[in-house]
Amino acid sequence: MCGFLGEISRNKINYESVVTSNKETICRGPDEYKNIFGSSKQVFKTDNEYYLSIGFNRLAIMELSNLGSQPMISEDKKYSLIFNGEIFNHESLRRELINSGCTFSSKTSDTEVLFKGLIEYGIEYINKLIGQFSIIFIDNNSNKLFLIRDRLGQKPLFYNYQDSKITFGSNLKSLATLNDNFDISEQSTQEYLASGVVSSPNTILKDFYKIEPGHFLTYCLMDFKILNITPYWDIDSFAGEKKYDENKFFEIFESSVLMRSKADVEVASFLSGGIDSSSIIKKQSELDMNVNTFSMGFSRDNYDESKWFSMVSKKYNTNHKQKTISSKLDLDKVLESVDIFDEPYADSSTIPSYFLAKEISNYYKVAISGDGGDELLGGYEHIKRVLNSKDNFLINSLYNVYSPKIGTGSNLLKYNKDKKIYHESFFIDRKLIELLKLDYSHNFKSKYFKTSSINYKDHMIADYKFYLSEMMMLKVDRTSMANSLEIRSPFVDHRLVEFAISSDFGSFFHEKSKYLTKNYLAQDFNTDFLNRPKQGFAFQLEDWVFDNLNYLKDYFTNGYINSIDKKILNSLSIIKTRINAHRIWKIFFLERYLETLKLWI
């Protein structure tokens, strides 16, 4: 895992600007920094001239020697690569390339494998990759620059383009400093207040964009224009009803875990005591691995799962470390966890996630997580609620007169005959937008649902597109990389996703959430372990917000909240519900982000 920042322009540029702007990216790769800069005629010996400055921060995981350093430039100077992420099938790809005549300098560098593959086979080579990645590939042979992002959005890739210039990077704040002017996007701000995130391809800043998951951008180094933005993977295309093959599932699962457990440094596994992380650790144990586990306990009983993760560690005889933190954190720690974000993001589970990553980074550089298990194996109850809901026009019509100060009105929308609207209500707070008197027009339904007829699979795909790719993967990446920690998620392997989407769900899910993995663990654990309520990785947000109301109200005095009626904030703080606490947190996060952005820039 690494971080990068770059600029390519028809006109001469300030080469030191990348070094200066790189400060927020260093945490992504503190082991080594390299910079290439100059005219393309100097750096690449090209006839076509352009100017570039690219900085790369390396977190050394594979091939710890300088043979794994980046940027990589081919011997003939025609190609260059910078790459953030991991290619988990690099060993088999290396063998294929050797058989086709390629030679390698390194023994274990996945970067060199990726580079040689792109040179040999072109941009189509990305379809062979199993991994998480954002890639910048310069092809001077065809005078093209490619910006490539992994299928499920695990690694970030931002860019900005102007006349005769494109900038790109792993961190939005750093990228903003490379450009003379930027403004906050009103449209994106409204989307954030509705959903708690700004979805691809937009960012919180005007004219700054994210490459969408499963897409690549092609930029012409002759005309200095974007030629196209092309999807190379589409989750909807795999929808089908093939007969479910349990052996096939566990074959892919084993391959996914095995690939992600390999590194040239020690690897740990997050152990929450839940079904997902426990399944991964069981599989590692079956593969005769030396399993390192790391758990976080909470001082508050209703958040603490130490009983369960201790059972798993003991069962599989892992090398276990654990830390206990208070479920109530002081202000400085909360602000520390907020300030790592390069875009506003309102899911408060980022707070314990950040401190978990911070603790584990004291011992390891790589950790395996169970993220994506709920999407893959039917772990989310909201989909079942949507599918089991009954339409009732009279009850649903009460939503229009429901006071936005009370809540989102989701319990009324479950009676809407359009189940996509009920699904949306778990993520989009349109009542807050109504309360703030904002004109929010984002169409969740058309963006994340492709068909008019809705079944379990359609809702599952929508969760992959929005919740996993736009929210969960953002949280995992930012909280871990702020602590120079690489997270690997076996359940987010695109082969497993394709398998699940294409399979017959009648046999795949049965009536039980996570039937497959629970059945897999059943020989090792009792029903109390397997069927306990899902805990989640939570922070006591409601208590924190209402305990710190005076601070928050003072904080809002001179910022964005000034454009909002103060009575609104007061009413949210008087009606002390979980929803209102989250709304206040959401506005606070935006306020704090805008303040720190000004200081940073």
Side-chain angles (χ1 to χ4, degrees):
M1 292 299 173
C2 308
F4 55 78
L5 186 65
E7 178 177 353
I8 291 179
S9 175
R10 183 199 299 270
N11 305 311
K12 290 184 177 181
I13 58 180
N14 176 5
Y15 297 130
E16 292 301 313
S17 61
V18 165
V19 178
T20 303
S21 300
N22 186 54
K23 290 183 290 183
E24 289 265 321
T25 314
I26 291 172
C27 62
R28 301 186 73 92
D31 294 336
E32 180 185 18
Y33 176 77
K34 285 185 68 176
N35 178 243
I36 57 171
F37 58 87
S39 160
S40 59
K41 289 187 175 182
Q42 298 169 327
V43 176
F44 299 123
K45 315 301 181 187
T46 61
D47 294 328
N48 174 44
E49 185 170 39
Y50 57 87
Y51 299 87
L52 77 157
S53 180
I54 297 173
F56 186 83
N57 297 289
R58 185 183 183 202
L59 183 65
I61 302 296
M62 303 300 301
E63 187 61 64
L64 305 184
S65 75
N66 60 10
L67 295 177
S69 297
Q70 301 182 49
M72 286 189 175
I73 301 176
S74 61
E75 290 184 11
D76 61 10
K77 308 294 185 181
K78 290 182 179 179
Y79 305 96
S80 183
L81 173 81
I82 52 176
F83 154 59
N84 166 30
E86 294 288 349
I87 307 302
F88 297 121
N89 62 331
H90 65 96
E91 292 177 331
S92 61
L93 294 177
R94 178 184 287 258
R95 289 192 293 269
E96 289 178 4
L97 289 166
I98 289 173
N99 290 337
S100 70
C102 287
T103 59
F104 288 86
S105 301
S106 70
K107 291 184 178 180
T108 60
S109 171
D110 60 332
T111 305
E112 188 179 15
V113 170
L114 171 62
F115 192 30
K116 293 289 178 70
L118 287 169
I119 293 171
E120 185 75 12
Y121 296 105
I123 193 67
E124 292 298 318
Y125 194 69
I126 60 177
N127 293 300
K128 285 180 168 284
L129 306 180
I130 299 172
Q132 50 196 44
F133 48 82
S134 57
I135 300 166
I136 307 298
F137 182 57
I138 299 174
D139 180 355
N140 288 304
N141 209 36
S142 62
N143 292 306
K144 291 178 181 176
L145 165 73
F146 296 96
L147 279 63
I148 310 159
R149 193 173 179 203
D150 65 62
R151 297 170 180 85
L152 289 156
Q154 292 178 267
K155 293 290 103 183
L157 182 48
F158 299 95
Y159 69 97
N160 170 273
Y161 65 97
Q162 304 170 12
D163 288 341
S164 304
K165 171 184 171 181
I166 187 169
T167 55
F168 45 83
S170 304
N171 183 280
L172 181 61
K173 287 181 179 178
S174 294
L175 191 62
T177 65
L178 285 182
N179 296 271
D180 297 331
N181 298 300
F182 67 87
D183 294 305
I184 303 300
S185 166
E186 185 63 30
Q187 177 184 350
S188 294
T189 300
Q190 292 181 11
E191 182 184 4
Y192 165 78
L193 289 169
S195 67
V197 73
V198 180
S199 62
S200 304
N202 298 316
T203 73
I204 195 68
L205 304 180
K206 280 185 182 178
D207 302 322
F208 287 76
Y209 302 96
K210 296 185 278 271
I211 300 294
E212 292 184 80
H215 285 66
F216 67 87
L217 178 151
T218 307
Y219 184 80
C220 180
L221 296 171
M222 294 281 287
D223 298 331
F224 299 92
K225 293 180 179 179
I226 293 175
L227 298 177
N228 50 62
I229 299 175
T230 308
Y232 67 91
W233 189 81
D234 179 11
I235 190 172
D236 287 284
S237 68
F238 298 99
E241 295 296 328
K242 290 189 294 187
K243 185 176 180 181
Y244 166 66
D245 182 345
E246 186 167 318
N247 290 331
K248 182 65 174 176
F249 172 84
F250 280 103
E251 177 186 316
I252 302 171
F253 178 60
E254 179 174 304
S255 168
S256 179
V257 171
L258 181 61
M259 284 181 179
R260 286 163 178 79
S261 299
K262 293 182 179 181
D264 290 340
V265 297
E266 270 203 285
V267 176
S269 290
F270 286 144
L271 174 53
S272 67
I275 300 300
D276 301 327
S277 63
S278 300
S279 298
I280 291 169
I281 290 158
K282 176 175 181 175
K283 179 54 67 178
Q284 288 177 313
S285 178
E286 289 177 341
L287 293 168
D288 293 324
M289 295 179 183
N290 184 33
V291 184
N292 303 308
T293 52
F294 194 97
S295 301
M296 185 77 83
F298 290 91
S299 59
R300 187 163 174 162
D301 288 342
N302 61 329
Y303 284 95
D304 186 55
E305 295 199 282
S306 57
K307 171 185 175 181
W308 307 112
F309 61 63
S310 296
M311 288 173 60
V312 178
S313 175
K314 184 177 180 180
K315 176 65 183 179
Y316 302 122
N317 193 29
T318 71
N319 305 315
H320 190 64
K321 290 183 174 68
Q322 68 184 71
K323 293 286 184 179
T324 300
I325 65 170
S326 172
S327 58
K328 285 194 172 186
L329 296 175
D330 61 37
L331 179 61
D332 289 342
K333 287 189 177 297
V334 170
L335 295 182
E336 178 186 346
S337 71
V338 169
D339 291 345
I340 66 168
F341 283 86
D342 54 353
E343 281 195 279
Y345 177 58
D347 183 348
S348 63
S349 69
T350 56
I351 300 171
S353 296
Y354 169 76
F355 286 104
L356 173 60
K358 187 173 184 177
E359 286 292 341
I360 200 171
S361 68
N362 292 322
Y363 306 95
Y364 303 100
K365 294 173 76 171
V366 180
I368 296 177
S369 81
D371 298 308
D374 285 309
E375 287 80 5
L376 185 72
L377 298 167
Y380 287 133
E381 288 298 319
H382 69 265
I383 294 181
K384 293 178 182 177
R385 291 182 195 172
V386 171
L387 292 174
N388 292 331
S389 63
K390 306 294 183 182
D391 60 289
N392 185 308
F393 175 78
L394 291 177
I395 298 178
N396 179 70
S397 64
L398 295 175
Y399 175 81
N400 296 324
V401 295
Y402 182 80
S403 171
K405 297 177 183 179
I406 299 174
T408 64
S410 179
N411 284 332
L412 296 173
L413 291 177
K414 69 182 178 183
Y415 296 102
N416 195 298
K417 66 178 180 180
D418 187 344
K419 295 186 185 299
K420 290 176 284 188
I421 291 177
Y422 184 32
H423 187 124
E424 175 194 278
S425 71
F426 286 94
F427 302 106
I428 308 298
D429 187 354
R430 291 193 181 274
K431 282 295 178 180
L432 177 61
I433 295 300
E434 180 185 325
L435 189 66
L436 299 178
K437 298 179 174 63
L438 299 175
D439 181 22
Y440 176 69
S441 58
H442 181 73
N443 195 326
F444 183 96
K445 291 197 303 178
S446 62
K447 186 171 183 178
Y448 300 112
F449 289 96
K450 291 291 187 182
T451 61
S452 55
S453 60
I454 298 299
N455 57 32
Y456 192 105
K457 196 172 297 181
D458 297 307
H459 290 285
M460 180 182 182
I461 289 172
D463 274 0
Y464 266 110
K465 289 179 179 178
F466 179 68
Y467 183 67
L468 184 125
S469 291
E470 301 292 355
M471 300 187 79
M472 183 185 292
M473 293 297 96
L474 184 155
K475 175 184 73 173
V476 171
D477 175 80
R478 304 309 192 274
T479 56
S480 60
M481 294 308 291
N483 294 291
S484 306
L485 177 71
E486 174 182 310
I487 301 295
R488 299 173 171 184
S489 306
F491 288 115
V492 190
D493 190 307
H494 76 276
R495 297 170 300 165
L496 282 174
V497 175
E498 291 171 7
F499 175 84
I501 295 299
S502 63
S503 294
D504 170 15
F505 276 53
S507 57
F508 189 56
F509 282 109
H510 297 258
E511 291 299 318
K512 301 176 182 178
S513 297
K514 301 189 180 179
Y515 168 82
L516 283 173
T517 42
K518 285 183 179 180
N519 196 45
Y520 176 54
L521 293 170
Q523 58 187 295
D524 296 336
F525 300 99
N526 60 28
T527 56
D528 288 343
F529 179 94
L530 296 172
N531 297 319
R532 70 188 191 272
K534 180 178 173 60
Q535 176 63 62
F537 200 42
F539 166 67
Q540 195 67 14
L541 179 67
E542 189 174 343
D543 288 352
W544 188 87
V545 165
F546 293 125
D547 287 347
N548 290 275
L549 267 179
N550 290 334
Y551 168 79
L552 295 173
K553 288 180 179 180
D554 289 343
Y555 200 91
F556 292 151
T557 301
N558 298 311
Y560 181 83
I561 196 68
N562 269 350
S563 64
I564 300 172
D565 189 338
K566 293 295 188 299
K567 293 179 181 178
I568 294 173
L569 181 60
N570 289 333
S571 65
L572 292 178
S573 62
I574 291 170
I575 305 174
K576 291 180 170 57
T577 62
R578 180 184 59 84
I579 294 297
N580 283 343
H582 180 70
R583 289 165 162 177
I584 294 170
W585 170 259
K586 189 187 290 185
I587 298 170
F588 165 70
F589 202 121
L590 176 64
E591 194 76 86
R592 177 75 182 183
Y593 173 82
L594 295 176
E595 179 186 67
T596 56
L597 181 66
K598 292 173 184 176
L599 293 174
W600 166 242
I601 302 303

